[in-house]
Amino acid sequence: MSLYAPEFFAELCLPFADGTVVGNTYFATPADTSLRMRIDFTRTIYADTYGGLRVAIVHPDRGEIDAVALSFLDHQTFHRRDEAANTRPDTHGYGTFDKYHRPGRPPWDGAVLTGLRDAIEQYTAVWFPGAWTASVPARAAGRTALRAAVPPPAAHVVGRSR
């Protein structure tokens, strides 16, 4: 079954100039380092059904050194689609996609990828500091979610004296 992976990762808008899709897997080298990033679709217990992405950091000599699973459900990727279809959260198909889809449309049709993109951004920022801000200034400037500066905590504590 074709997952239309190149189209999925293009719509995900990952900012790495040297990223490429091989089969259903996205590979990239986000910064001047020997580390690589690999993103795969994660399967569920149901045949040909996918419930999220698995992002892994791979060292060329030591292999995989860290990974995180990002579920579509946790990042509300299919929330709008499932709400519109009245799909209950406790049923098969909620927050996932499978091989059954409308002709001419990708199996992940209806996905809102902002939550996944933000989660990948947070995760890769640990391993590749500055990789996102240096490569996507226009996208970063247009984003609104959680970008305002957080004021520092108050210097005093009520009820305590020094």
Side-chain angles (χ1 to χ4, degrees), residues 11-16 75 113-125 131-133 135-149:
E11 191 171 322
L12 191 57
C13 295
L14 297 175
F16 310 117
H75 296 93
L113 301 175
T114 308
L116 282 174
R117 185 183 316 110
D118 289 345
I120 293 170
E121 177 179 343
Q122 288 179 327
Y123 180 71
T124 57
W132 287 83
T133 55
S135 57
V136 259
R139 187 178 85 74
R143 303 224 357 208
T144 57
L146 302 174
R147 294 298 178 219

Side-chain angles (χ1 to χ4, degrees), residues 55-79:
V55 184
I57 305 301
V58 181
H59 186 276
D61 298 328
R62 292 185 281 162
E64 187 174 293
I65 56 176
D66 194 52
V68 64
L70 305 172
S71 79
F72 295 142
L73 182 61
D74 291 345
H75 296 93
Q76 299 183 346
T77 306
F78 294 106
H79 180 72

Side-chain angles (χ1 to χ4, degrees), residues 25-103:
T25 303
Y26 178 85
F27 295 95
T29 306
D32 284 336
T33 178
S34 61
L35 297 177
R36 308 287 187 258
M37 181 178 66
R38 180 183 68 226
I39 304 176
D40 298 297
F41 292 97
T42 58
R43 296 178 185 268
T44 66
I45 61 172
Y46 300 101
D48 298 320
T49 303
Y50 301 88
L53 298 176
R54 184 174 187 277
V55 184
I57 305 301
V58 181
H59 186 276
D61 298 328
R62 292 185 281 162
E64 187 174 293
I65 56 176
D66 194 52
V68 64
L70 305 172
S71 79
F72 295 142
L73 182 61
D74 291 345
H75 296 93
Q76 299 183 346
T77 306
F78 294 106
H79 180 72
R80 288 184 190 163
R81 178 203 69 186
D82 294 340
E83 289 294 316
N86 265 343
T87 307
R88 292 192 352 245
D90 59 340
T91 59
H92 168 65
Y94 187 85
T96 65
F97 72 85
D98 57 26
K99 67 180 180 179
Y100 305 105
H101 55 89
R102 295 186 325 199

